[in-house]
Amino acid sequence: MEHPPDAEMEKLELDAQRKAAKEAKKRAKEEKAKQKAEKAKQGALNLSILLNSTLVSILLRHALFVEDLCWRLLHSSSHDDTVDADAKGVTKLGLHAKKNEDFGEWYSQLVVESEMISYYEVSGCYILRPWSFAIWDEIQRWFDNEIRKMGVQNAYFPLFVTEDALMKEKDHVEGFAPEVAWVTKSGSSDMERPVAIRPTSETVMYPQFAQWIRSHRDLPLRLNQWTNVVRWEFKHPTPFIRSREFLWQEGHTAFASKEEADDEVLSILELYKRVYEELLAVPVCKGRKSSKEKFAGANYTTSVEAFVPATGRGVQGATSHHLGQNFSKMFDIEYETEAGGEKARPWQNSWGMSTRVIGVMVMVHGDDAGLVLPPRVAHIQAVIIPIQNKKMTDEAVHLMTDKVHALCAELQAAGVRATTDCRENYTPGWKYNHWELKGVPLRIELGPRDMENSTVMFARRDTKEKSTVAWADVGTAAPAMLDRIQKEMLERARKQFDECTEMATNWDDFMAALDRKHMCLAPWADEESIEEGVRKKSATDDMMGAKTLNIPFDQPDLPEGTPCFFSGKPAKNWALWGRSY
């Protein structure tokens, strides 16, 4: 094989170098393009992540804005956009149960979450917290003032009753026997003579009456005591409504004539009606109890009866008893008459009202957001809440706070039980929920725009209505608003009470009314056997039988020959019937 000449070899080498350089340049260009493409791809990916993140942020802010807007529309002042609201799920305020879906659970949650009571380790006993005790204080002040005007004096008698005194009046004791709690030990030793804890105080007080009443000059004797009593045996305890120990007032009086005693029975009953209607905004029906339902040992018993529409049950609100001369005979109470030389026995009454009134008020007025307190018994009638935001300067915050305190002072001077909520560790939204749950009748909001306009926003607890009020008018507008709230709460409750009262003259209509969770006004022959028969026949697997709530004083016409709706016998009167607590 022949080798090419040197010149030719150089040319071939040069061509090979050029080709290699060209290939290298091409590969470098391709690599550069590849890197550029990879960089572009990464840039696009980064841009996508950025856009998605931005979109998520925008959507999240939008969702929070919508949530905040909805909250403000439902729970706060629509006049100011500065509320930093906490949702109820975050604040953990509010009730989980609904009044019309699970009344028992709703009520149990409400009395605890609103700080009315705390449960105690002894079943059927409850701690009354300041929020509920303040309501009892208001009732006590009003009622005590009224009975003092009548000449009633307050006293206090011991908690314990001897067995001899308790057994003195057989019929009376039989009525309370299952409920009497006995103290049988002193330390580790059995007591020689056990003593009872009073279920009521007739047998405590009347032995003393026998010593104090000796002459007609000692009459009338009119005493009242504010105390506690214990009634032990029962099922299904319910705070305020049915408990083993409760607070009450019990009046015990003695008169020379039956007429005086009769007059007092009705006067006291009227005061009880006023407590419910004027203070608690709860309508009641005044009437006489049937012989089956009257107080053990009484000649007759009168009562005010309330009604809870959500459960379809009546509630005995308070009672005023005419005891006749039954107890004066049993405890040998007698006095020398004005004529001289003659002995006579006094005519006696007893009457009582307990903390049950608070439970009735809660059941009638409360809603799914919490308590709804009538202004006359609310410990706090108005709360002023400043609405601040982060944009406000320190000076603006101080000016707003000063104005809140100035408005509060003005309200207090006008007789309104007002307070402020300037706590910095809670948002306005949390405060709204808190005071709504506690049932404060009037919320007053003060925000930045209000500061500019010299106004506040009034928000009613009962209707959720809102109105703008000038600073200059707050001192007169707030008391007027509270009076209006009190009046309209009673009007709404009375309308519902009337709508839940039906008239029936036969058994089918009677049962239909009960099935609708209503009370029924029906003609009857006024016999205990009939009432017992109605109770048994009207009972179902799920519901207790009906009984007479009372025989209303305000009676519809009863034409002669009208038959009893149950027995067919001639009716003697109309009775108000219903299932009850």
Side-chain angles (χ1 to χ4, degrees), residues 131 378-386 401 403-413 415-423 431 434-435 438-446 458 474 478 482:
W131 198 247
H379 177 54
I380 295 174
Q381 296 173 316
V383 58
I384 309 174
I385 300 176
T401 302
K403 190 60 188 179
V404 164
H405 291 304
L407 289 170
C408 185
E410 185 176 351
L411 289 175
Q412 291 172 346
V416 176
R417 295 189 289 274
T419 191
T420 65
D421 192 344
C422 297
R423 291 175 289 179
K431 296 174 185 178
H434 172 74
W435 294 109
K438 293 177 76 67
V440 171
L442 183 62
R443 185 177 73 238
I444 301 176
E445 304 164 10
L446 181 66
F458 278 11
V474 168
L482 293 170

Side-chain angles (χ1 to χ4, degrees), residues 265 314 412 512 564:
V265 165
Q412 291 172 346
C564 170

